[in-house]
Each structure stands twice: as C-alpha cells, then as structure tokens.
Amino acid sequence: QVQLVESGGGLVQAGGSLRLSCAASGRTFSSYTMGWFRQAPGKEREFVAGITQSGGVTAYADSVKGRFTISRDNAKNTVYLQMNSLKPEDTAVYHCAADFNFWYRPPTTSNEYHRWGQGTQVTVSS
C-alpha cells in the first residue's frame, strides 16, 4: 500500500517562496506519475502540477506557470513543488497524489489519481 506524506507548508508573505516535499513509501515510486493539487476553503480541489515517471514531462496550471516548479528524485522516493512569487490566492491545502498508470503527459484531473496524501497547509499573507 503506497503512502504519501507531504511536508514543507507554512505561513509566508506574498512574494516569498516555499518548497513542498512528498515522500512515498514502497519500492515502485519510479513507476508512478505524480501530481500536486490544492484545495482552498469553499473551493473545489484543483490541479497545480504533474510530472511523469522519469521526470521528463511536466504540466502546470496556468495560474502557477512560471512561478512553480515540480521535480522528483526517484532515488529518494520524493516529489517536490518549488513555489516562488507566492500570492495570497495560492493559500490552500496542498496534496500530492500518485497515479499508477503510464502517461505520456501527466493527467490534470483528480479522478485519474489513485493515492493521496493528507495535505500540507500553505498560507500566503498580503
């Protein structure tokens, strides 16, 4: 059973940076497509970024393109989300997710992902 544990959230001022990490259990992490989603209070969960098994292809929501970078280290079973130039509208609980299927491009819909972490809170003050 794959388990995902996020860390790195916190409170930051607008314009600041945070790096989120998601550590996965198990020995087949390198076969998972990984994604980051976020959910703000009163809003639906939305796609933020995704990365294919080898890390060769990434995808981003338009709202974070140019500010956020997703990466992974398969030797450490970890996926990262580097968030720069943070805005108050980035405030949300951020979840990582694992998709067990092979994709040429990471899926952007939450129902494609099979396992989810509990999430880490990111709060950006103005």
Side-chain angles (χ1 to χ4, degrees), residues 9-73:
L11 173 63
V12 64
Q13 288 189 330
S17 298
L18 283 174
R19 188 174 85 152
L20 306 184
S21 299
C22 172
S25 64
R27 296 177 291 178
T28 55
F29 175 77
S30 61
S31 68
Y32 307 152
T33 298
M34 298 297 296
W36 285 97
F37 288 76
R38 66 187 181 187
Q39 188 165 19
K43 295 188 177 181
E44 292 189 355
R45 187 171 293 185
E46 65 173 354
F47 172 78
V48 176
I51 189 167
T52 52
Q53 287 89 335
S54 66
V57 180
T58 57
Y60 296 93
D62 287 343
S63 58
V64 307
K65 208 170 288 184
R67 300 188 297 123
F68 291 9
T69 302
I70 188 171
S71 61
R72 65 190 297 163
D73 186 337

Side-chain angles (χ1 to χ4, degrees), residues 4 6 12 39 45 49-50 64 70 77 91-92 97 99 104 120 125:
L4 305 174
E6 301 95 335
V12 64
Q39 188 165 19
R45 187 171 293 185
V64 307
I70 188 171
N77 282 14
T91 295
D99 184 327
Y104 287 105
T120 185
S125 63

Side-chain angles (χ1 to χ4, degrees), residues 75-124:
K76 296 182 178 179
N77 282 14
T78 302
V79 63
Y80 304 97
L81 186 68
Q82 177 67 44
M83 305 186 296
N84 299 328
S85 302
L86 283 161
K87 304 175 181 180
E89 51 264 43
D90 294 319
T91 295
V93 177
Y94 283 70
H95 299 266
C96 68
D99 184 327
F100 302 153
N101 295 322
F102 175 82
W103 296 92
Y104 287 105
R105 181 177 173 81
T108 61
T109 54
S110 60
N111 59 4
E112 296 289 355
Y113 290 80
H114 302 97
R115 291 287 184 275
W116 293 82
Q118 295 283 359
T120 185
Q121 176 70 46
V122 171
T123 303
V124 184

